[in-house]
Amino acid sequence: MSAVNDTKFNSAVFLLTRISGQEVVHLWIAVPFCLIYVISIVGNSGILFIIKTDPSLHEPMYIFLSMLAITDLGISISSMPTILGIYLFNSRKISFSACFAQIFFIHSLSKTESSVLLLMAFDRFIAICNPLRYSSILNLPRIGKMGLVFALRSLVLVFPLPFLLKRFRYRRVNVLSHSFCLHQEVMKLACSDITVNSIYGLYITLLTMGLDSLLIFLSYMMILKTVLSITSKAGRLRALNTCVSHLCAVLLFYSAEISLALIHRFGNGSYPLLQTVLGYISLLLPPLINPIMYSMKSRHLHAGIMRAFVKCRISS
C-alpha cells in the first residue's frame, strides 16, 4: 500500500452504506426504519414501566425480561441514529472516534443480550425442573449479582476492541458495507496485519455467544426431559408454553448473529446485499419483536399492561 493512500488515524473517515437503489427509494425506506425505532423505544420502555410499577410482576422472570428490555433499548439507541441519518439526510460519514464508540456499544450490548437470554433459560430451567426451590435459588440479591457479572464480562471483553483497531493505519476513505460500525468489518479495512484482532474477535464470540448458546441448548435438553416425564398432556403443554417466547427470542437472536458472523468470516464480500440485510435483522428485529412477543405470550404481563391502560383512562 502506497504512502499516499495511508494516513494517520485522525484524518481518515468511514463511509456507511445503505441498501442499493435510487435516492427516492431510500427516502421511502426511511419510513419503516423510523417506525421500527419508535416501536422499539416505546415497546421496551413500556415493558420497563409496567414491570416497575406493578408489584405483581416483581418476580425473577420479569426482572430478567426488564434486563432484556434495557439491553434492547441500548442496541436501538446506539445503532438507529446512524441508520436514520443515512436514509433521511444522506449523512454517510462517520469519524473514527464515533465509529469505535459505536463498535464498543453494539458489541458489548449484543454480548450482554446473549447473557440475558442465558439467564432467562436458567430461569425456565429452575421453574420447570426444580419448582419447589425456585424462590430460594432465584432471589433478588442473586439475580442482581448474576446480571452484574454477565454485564461486566461483556464490557471487559469488548473494551480492548476499539484500542486494537485504533493502532492500525487506514486509507483516507473507508467504505463499510453496513449502516453502522462492526469490529469484524472495520478490521478488514486496515492496512496492517489483523491476525491479533481476528483471533481475539473469535475468542470473544466463543467465550460469550458460543458458550451461552451451548448452555441454553443444554438447559432446554434438561427442560425437555423433565416435561416428557409429566404424565398429563395438559401439564406438558402448560410447561412448554412458558418457554415459547424465550425460544423465539433465542432463535431470532442467534440465527441472525451466527449467519452474519459466517458471512463476515467466509463471505469475502461476495454477498453485499445479504450481508446488509442480515446486519439490519441482527440489530433491529430483536428490540422490535421481543416486547411484542412477550406482551402477547405472557398472561401476567398482558394483564399488567391492561391495568396500566385502564388507570391511564380513568386518570385522564
Side-chain angles (χ1 to χ4, degrees):
M1 185 61 60
S2 64
V4 177
N5 289 332
D6 287 343
T7 185
K8 289 192 178 293
F9 162 78
N10 57 7
S11 63
V13 295
F14 286 122
L15 287 181
L16 302 171
T17 301
R18 52 197 172 184
I19 298 176
S20 58
Q22 300 178 357
E23 295 296 329
V24 178
V25 178
H26 290 156
L27 188 60
W28 284 105
I29 292 175
V31 175
F33 279 132
C34 288
L35 288 175
I36 289 173
Y37 192 34
V38 171
I39 294 173
S40 299
I41 297 296
V42 172
N44 287 291
S45 300
I47 281 183
L48 288 173
F49 175 77
I50 296 299
I51 292 174
K52 183 178 185 301
T53 56
D54 194 334
S56 67
L57 298 178
H58 294 175
E59 300 177 1
M61 175 182 175
Y62 299 104
I63 294 173
F64 289 132
L65 180 56
S66 66
M67 293 180 185
L68 185 65
I70 292 172
T71 307
D72 284 337
L73 273 174
I75 291 175
S76 295
I77 292 171
S78 61
S79 60
M80 281 301 295
T82 57
I83 297 173
L84 294 177
I86 290 175
Y87 289 102
L88 290 174
F89 309 110
N90 195 28
S91 177
R92 294 184 60 197
K93 288 185 179 180
I94 182 170
S95 67
F96 270 44
S97 298
C99 186
F100 292 163
Q102 190 176 56
I103 285 173
F104 172 76
F105 285 112
I106 287 178
H107 284 280
S108 60
L109 288 168
S110 296
K111 272 46 175 185
T112 302
E113 177 148 356
S114 175
S115 301
V116 174
L117 290 174
L118 172 60
L119 290 175
M120 296 176 83
F122 180 67
D123 169 77
R124 291 299 83 206
F125 168 75
I126 298 298
I128 294 174
C129 300
N130 200 352
L132 297 179
R133 298 187 58 200
Y134 181 77
S135 299
S136 61
I137 293 175
L138 290 176
N139 52 54
L140 289 179
R142 186 167 292 160
I143 290 173
K145 290 177 182 177
M146 289 191 298
L148 181 61
V149 167
F150 279 112
L152 288 175
R153 181 189 69 164
S154 302
L155 293 174
V156 169
L157 289 174
V158 175
F159 185 74
L161 290 183
F163 300 98
L164 290 173
L165 291 171
K166 188 175 180 180
R167 63 195 177 94
F168 293 143
R169 297 176 69 87
Y170 299 87
R171 300 180 183 89
R172 185 172 297 277
V173 178
N174 305 273
V175 181
L176 302 174
S177 60
H178 292 291
S179 304
F180 42 83
C181 297
L182 295 175
H183 169 259
Q184 57 266 39
E185 185 182 14
V186 171
M187 71 175 182
K188 292 181 180 179
L189 298 175
C191 304
S192 310
D193 182 15
I194 62 171
T195 303
V196 173
N197 285 63
S198 182
I199 294 174
Y200 186 67
L202 180 61
Y203 167 76
I204 291 176
T205 302
L206 292 177
L207 194 60
T208 53
M209 294 184 181
L211 180 61
D212 294 346
S213 59
L214 176 62
L215 293 175
I216 290 173
F217 175 77
L218 293 176
S219 297
Y220 272 101
M221 289 297 100
M222 297 297 293
I223 288 172
L224 186 60
K225 181 181 177 182
T226 302
V227 169
L228 291 177
S229 67
I230 300 174
T231 55
S232 168
K233 182 179 179 181
R236 290 197 297 267
L237 291 176
R238 188 165 53 251
L240 289 174
N241 191 52
T242 63
C243 302
V244 170
S245 298
H246 179 255
L247 270 174
C248 291
V250 167
L251 291 174
L252 175 64
F253 177 78
Y254 283 107
S255 58
E257 288 288 340
I258 292 172
S259 300
L260 185 62
L262 291 174
I263 285 286
H264 274 293
R265 189 160 289 272
F266 304 110
N268 296 322
S270 304
Y271 310 98
L273 180 59
L274 178 61
Q275 187 168 297
T276 302
V277 172
L278 282 175
Y280 288 137
I281 290 174
S282 66
L283 280 188
L284 306 186
L285 276 193
L288 172 70
I289 300 297
N290 288 341
I292 298 174
M293 186 168 49
Y294 275 99
S295 299
M296 292 174 60
K297 291 299 296 181
S298 174
R299 179 168 50 88
H300 297 293
L301 183 60
H302 185 74
I305 294 173
M306 295 305 297
R307 283 194 295 269
F309 180 74
V310 170
K311 286 180 182 178
C312 230
R313 286 289 298 272
I314 293 174
S315 63
S316 61

